Amino acid sequence: MDVRRRGKCKLGDAPGTFHDKGSLERSVATGSLEDCRSQKSRAPFCWWAVDVTLGILFAVLLGASHSFCVFSIHENLLWFSHLKEVEREISFRTECGLYYSYYKQMIQASSIEQGLLELIYDNKTESRRTINVLQRMNIYQEVFLSILYRLLPVQEYLEPIYFYIYTVFSLQALYVTSLYATSWFLSDSWLAGALTASWYILNRIDTTRVEFTISLRENWSLPFFALQVASITYYLRPQLKPLQQRAVLLLVFLSTLWFSLTWQFNQFILLVQALGLFVLDCLDLISPDKVARLYVVQLSSLLVVWLLQFCNPMLLGSLAVSFLVSTLLVKRFQAGLKRGGPLSRLARLVLGGLLVLALTFTINFLTKKSLQLRSDEHIYKFVKAKFGLGSTRDFDAKLYLCEEAFGLLPLDTFDRLAGTLVLYPYLCATSVLLAVLLFIALRNLIGSQSEADQHTLGLRPDVAYNLLHTVLFGLLAYSTMRMKYLWTGHMCAFAAYGLCGRELWDICLRTLCCHTPAKLRLIRYAAPVSVLIFLYFKFWPKVTEELSELREFYDPDTVELMTWISSKTPVGAVFAGSMQLLAGIKLCTGRSLTNHPHYEDQALRERTREVYQIYARQSPGAVYRTLQAVGADYVVLEDSICYERRHGRGCRLRDLLDVANGHIMDDAGENEPDLIQAPHPRFCVAIKADDPAYTKLFKRVFQNKTFHVYKLRKRKPRSVGGSTGADV
């Protein structure tokens, strides 16, 4: 009988095991041995390939779905495609308008070289000053995109503004896909990625605000931050080959570079990330060599950004750079810090931590002293006042403290997150794994070498990193609401890992004494599928309703103001007013400004406080001299600020100015005892009465229901012994 017909192969058999009576030589001769091995190896590979292909397809599909979702909501909220150009530009509110104006400026420049020169030697953003916009602001994304638009053959059928917003919305696909990959790497199941993306989209209110703040730096930066976290997660997986490690480290570097280049808050976020890695390194939960390489990548990225931003001193003077340098220096002695008994190890680790902190603050102090750097003072004043370390009358600090975005995370956020079921698995996974982390940290501190003990409970390095990452950024989000977008996306990924990963279900099943591989596999797949089915039936009607809801942009007063400025004022005119409005004036009209919303420069903050005296109790002469000193030709007063009701007493802009000037605030209420009654009426109110003391210095040239524009009159030269009356 033919051996090939009688020879049978089972996937469960060891290589070379056959179920016929022929000899091994006959089997080899007829190819049975090779057939068995090839069948055995091909089947798992085929399943793996199908699984990975499905996972990638779902990642692309869900990423594209999110991009389409936010684009549709943006279109429906504003009816964007039917707006006039000035209305589209007005929709870029506050600092968004400032950033977009540089993209528009580069598009309209006679050449790419000329556009770059205008940014490097800019004298329109801040009157009577020439600044390097590429150094001061994170606008390389606008520069890159404008160059791309000029070079690509898309100008005939795609307007510049659509090229811009399509790019931002496309980056959201990268964001969702990166979160998808993070949860997939952690759980080894692409179902976790599908659940992550679904939760992210359904919790859109708390995970993103891209649809109405397109140009904000975070919308450019966070997709690359999510990609960096996914890359670090993969890098920390065990048993990576050296070539794989180098490739992933390159991706970590590139994503960190783009993240840092596109957002001025990069230094604070990387500091939190580096602190988490430092803690895990001290607890022996991550390989010290891998941590050192990640430190080098972070530091290298910041230094490259420093060079690209024309040696921006804020980066060198950041705590992140000081901390990374300190840890790399101390790591040379870290091996010695982990020797000895439990008490000795604890003492050495505490000593090492204190040494890193002391060295960090020393390096930071010396760097700032040598660079004479004071640009980030307002942040430290804000942090100090926020955590009750002393009261402050500082205008800049209170300007942040009074904004809702910089307050504590509202409790209704947790209600919304619980409604989509993301909160429960997240809290469960975080609390259980934190307990495991503490247990392992204590075990490592004691220095137990028992092999049985080491295998009783473990925590993979990639899981440990993501656990500490979500805890640290969760605390940051709770303390400052604006930072919640750093946390909520990763929260979706970590919750999906908790629901689909082996670790938690393994602990639960062993606790219930019913652990078997089959039950573990069943529950790992049944749980996410059940949640996905629930989310579909509960929220799909709501999503379709939201996507079909139509609204319309309506701001006729601002449109009228921008149209008047463009047609009735000289091209070289300089405007003073609120930061938010002036950003729109620069974008829509191209006029020069006295101040703007990019608040990271000390000299600009001081100028803004001076210009804002138009809403304080100051004499017309004092306001006139201030505006003339900054080169203003026109000043725009807004009723919404002059008679503000959005904030309560003590947080209105006029109140902040009064307190900073030592004056009693408006309306009934408590005042600090050393405040005095102001000798002059409020400027923005008194100027409307057309009193001669005001009309001889300011001429009303435009007004509507919202805005009042005054032109500064040219002062006559002083006669000998005479006076112009400007001091009235």
Side-chain angles (χ1 to χ4, degrees):
M1 179 178 279
D2 188 358
V3 174
R4 286 175 294 181
R5 296 184 60 187
R6 294 189 313 185
K8 297 179 181 178
C9 171
K10 296 183 180 179
L11 292 179
D13 295 336
T17 303
F18 292 87
H19 299 271
D20 63 327
K21 296 181 181 179
S23 65
L24 180 60
E25 288 79 9
R26 291 172 60 197
S27 299
V28 172
T30 58
S32 299
L33 180 60
E34 286 77 3
D35 290 344
C36 178
R37 285 176 174 172
S38 63
Q39 288 179 37
K40 187 178 176 187
S41 60
R42 277 202 305 266
F45 176 79
C46 290
W47 280 113
W48 177 85
V50 170
D51 186 63
V52 170
T53 302
L54 281 175
I56 293 174
L57 287 175
F58 270 99
V60 173
L61 177 63
L62 288 168
S65 298
H66 176 62
S67 293
F68 173 76
C69 180
V70 292
F71 169 75
S72 300
I73 292 172
H74 173 260
E75 170 67 26
N76 294 346
L77 284 176
L78 302 176
W79 207 13
F80 195 77
S81 59
H82 291 74
L83 295 179
K84 296 185 294 185
E85 187 66 18
V86 65
E87 292 175 320
R88 290 176 180 174
E89 292 178 347
I90 289 171
S91 70
F92 289 91
R93 301 286 186 179
T94 64
E95 59 187 293
C96 296
L98 180 68
Y99 297 133
Y100 182 77
S101 72
Y102 297 118
Y103 169 76
K104 179 182 176 181
Q105 182 177 326
M106 282 289 295
I107 294 289
Q108 294 178 345
S110 58
S111 66
I112 294 174
E113 294 79 7
Q114 182 61 32
L116 290 172
L117 284 175
E118 290 175 357
L119 292 178
I120 296 172
Y121 302 100
D122 180 279
N123 55 14
K124 302 190 74 174
T125 302
E126 296 176 18
S127 57
R128 296 190 175 179
R129 290 177 183 168
T130 298
I131 65 171
N132 185 343
V133 180
L134 292 177
Q135 181 191 54
R136 284 268 297 274
M137 304 181 198
N138 298 72
I139 63 160
Y140 267 99
Q141 51 268 50
E142 277 77 21
V143 172
F144 174 76
L145 206 61
S146 63
I147 294 174
L148 203 61
Y149 181 79
R150 296 177 70 120
L151 296 178
L152 292 177
V154 298
Q155 301 177 25
E156 293 183 2
Y157 55 88
L158 192 62
E159 298 175 56
I161 196 167
Y162 276 107
F163 188 71
Y164 187 90
I165 65 174
Y166 286 165
T167 302
V168 177
F169 290 142
S170 297
L171 279 176
Q172 300 309 301
L174 173 64
Y175 195 178
V176 170
T177 305
S178 299
L179 294 173
Y180 183 110
T182 300
S183 57
W184 189 358
F185 294 153
L186 290 172
S187 63
D188 289 325
S189 170
W190 59 261
L191 278 175
L195 192 54
T196 298
S198 301
W199 270 331
Y200 183 89
I201 295 170
L202 294 177
N203 289 283
R204 182 182 52 80
I205 294 176
D206 296 301
T207 55
T208 184
R209 48 180 176 167
V210 64
E211 67 272 13
F212 58 89
T213 59
I214 294 175
S215 301
L216 275 190
R217 304 299 82 181
E218 68 188 48
N219 296 328
W220 288 93
S221 188
L222 289 183
F224 295 108
F225 184 60
L227 178 61
Q228 184 233 37
V229 173
S231 304
I232 292 176
T233 301
Y234 190 80
Y235 175 68
L236 294 176
R237 289 164 68 95
Q239 298 177 343
L240 283 186
K241 297 178 181 178
L243 182 60
Q244 289 177 308
Q245 291 191 25
R246 286 194 290 271
V248 177
L249 270 180
L250 177 61
L251 184 57
V252 174
F253 170 77
L254 293 175
S255 55
T256 307
L257 175 62
W258 273 103
F259 159 70
S260 303
L261 193 62
T262 52
W263 198 10
Q264 66 269 27
F265 286 159
N266 58 69
Q267 50 182 298
F268 306 105
I269 297 164
L270 290 181
L271 175 62
V272 174
Q273 190 178 62
L275 282 170
L277 290 169
F278 178 75
V279 171
L280 294 173
D281 183 17
C282 291
L283 299 177
D284 287 333
L285 290 167
I286 293 183
S287 165
D289 292 336
K290 286 191 173 183
V291 172
R293 294 189 194 104
L294 290 174
Y295 285 157
V296 171
V297 165
Q298 287 183 327
L299 187 59
S300 302
S301 300
L302 288 173
L303 291 178
V304 172
V305 173
W306 174 70
L307 290 173
L308 290 173
Q309 289 193 301
F310 295 82
C311 304
N312 186 339
M314 275 194 69
L315 282 174
L316 281 188
S318 67
L319 277 175
V321 170
S322 302
F323 180 80
L324 289 169
V325 172
S326 302
T327 49
L328 287 172
L329 289 174
V330 172
K331 275 186 75 67
R332 296 190 61 183
F333 311 99
Q334 197 170 25
L337 295 175
K338 297 181 179 180
R339 290 202 301 261
L343 292 179
S344 176
R345 286 168 61 88
L346 179 61
R348 289 170 183 269
L349 288 175
V350 171
L351 178 63
L354 292 176
L355 180 60
V356 168
L357 290 178
L359 194 57
T360 297
F361 287 112
T362 301
I363 293 174
N364 189 254
F365 174 78
L366 294 176
T367 304
K368 288 184 175 180
K369 204 72 173 176
S370 61
L371 296 175
Q372 297 182 341
L373 183 63
R374 299 176 60 192
S375 296
D376 54 358
E377 277 185 346
H378 63 301
I379 297 176
Y380 297 111
K381 290 178 181 177
F382 159 72
V383 172
K384 181 180 176 182
K386 182 177 179 65
F387 292 103
L389 301 178
S391 59
T392 180
R393 290 184 182 177
D394 183 77
F395 175 80
D396 302 317
K398 296 198 72 172
L399 197 62
Y400 282 104
L401 288 169
C402 287
E403 284 298 324
E404 183 183 2
F406 292 93
L408 295 177
L409 188 68
L411 295 180
D412 61 352
T413 305
F414 299 103
D415 293 333
R416 290 192 297 270
L417 294 172
T420 58
L421 301 185
V422 67
L423 186 63
Y424 304 117
Y426 174 79
L427 291 177
C428 181
T430 305
S431 56
V432 171
L433 291 176
L434 270 178
V436 172
L437 185 145
L438 291 174
F439 172 81
I440 296 173
L442 183 61
R443 185 183 67 190
N444 292 344
L445 183 63
I446 294 173
S448 170
Q449 299 299 321
S450 169
E451 185 176 346
D453 185 44
Q454 292 291 339
H455 289 284
T456 302
L457 202 59
L459 198 62
R460 299 193 330 251
D462 54 340
V463 175
Y465 166 73
N466 280 273
L467 171 63
L468 212 55
H469 179 102
T470 194
V471 169
L472 291 176
F473 283 101
L475 293 174
L476 182 64
Y478 181 75
S479 67
T480 307
M481 188 186 77
R482 187 177 178 182
M483 297 293 108
K484 74 176 180 179
Y485 302 104
L486 287 162
W487 173 60
T488 47
H490 188 267
M491 174 191 188
C492 296
F494 201 75
Y497 154 69
L499 205 61
C500 302
R502 293 184 179 87
E503 287 81 1
L504 287 180
W505 290 120
D506 187 75
I507 292 173
C508 291
L509 292 175
R510 290 186 186 279
T511 303
L512 298 173
C513 300
C514 60
H515 181 278
T516 63
K519 289 179 181 178
L520 179 61
R521 189 180 304 110
L522 175 64
I523 199 168
R524 282 184 62 225
Y525 291 109
V529 169
S530 301
V531 173
L532 285 169
I533 292 172
F534 168 79
L535 294 176
Y536 175 81
F537 283 105
K538 182 175 181 180
F539 292 102
W540 179 249
K542 181 181 177 181
V543 171
T544 54
E545 180 183 354
E546 189 175 16
L547 291 176
S548 61
E549 183 182 4
L550 299 177
R551 299 183 187 179
E552 187 176 357
F553 175 86
Y554 185 74
D555 192 355
D557 291 346
T558 306
V559 171
E560 185 184 10
L561 172 66
M562 299 303 174
T563 304
W564 178 85
I565 292 175
S566 297
S567 59
K568 301 295 184 182
T569 64
V571 174
V574 179
F575 279 79
S578 69
M579 297 182 289
Q580 296 82 0
L581 179 64
L582 291 183
I585 288 176
K586 185 181 187 308
L587 169 59
C588 298
T589 71
R591 301 306 190 259
S592 299
L593 315 176
T594 57
N595 52 298
H596 54 81
H598 195 272
Y599 216 54
E600 310 307 318
D601 181 73
Q602 185 197 9
L604 176 66
R605 293 197 297 271
E606 292 174 354
R607 175 181 278 202
T608 299
R609 287 196 298 272
E610 294 171 358
V611 171
Y612 274 11
Q613 297 303 313
I614 59 179
Y615 296 109
R617 291 188 176 102
Q618 297 286 353
S619 68
V623 173
Y624 182 90
R625 289 194 300 273
T626 297
L627 295 177
Q628 194 177 53
V630 297
D633 299 309
Y634 297 86
V635 57
V636 185
L637 299 174
E638 302 171 63
D639 287 347
S640 58
I641 297 178
C642 191
Y643 307 105
E644 182 184 358
R645 296 179 182 177
R646 183 169 68 93
H647 293 100
R649 185 176 184 271
C651 272
R652 301 169 297 191
L653 180 62
R654 62 180 186 269
D655 297 334
L656 303 184
L657 292 164
D658 287 342
V659 171
N661 293 336
H663 297 156
I664 293 173
M665 293 183 288
D666 284 343
D667 304 328
E670 294 184 0
N671 290 281
E672 295 184 29
D674 60 330
L675 297 179
I676 62 172
Q677 191 69 44
H680 302 285
R682 194 166 303 283
F683 177 84
C684 63
V685 176
I687 194 174
K688 297 173 185 176
D690 292 332
D691 186 278
Y694 294 85
T695 56
K696 66 183 177 183
L697 298 175
F698 302 93
K699 176 185 177 182
R700 184 188 291 116
V701 291
F702 173 86
Q703 73 176 65
N704 59 24
K705 292 183 293 183
T706 304
F707 305 104
H708 303 262
V709 182
Y710 293 86
K711 183 178 181 180
L712 277 69
R713 296 183 184 272
K714 299 296 183 182
R715 293 181 64 179
K716 296 179 180 179
R718 286 179 179 269
S719 58
V720 178
S723 172
T724 63
D727 296 325
V728 176

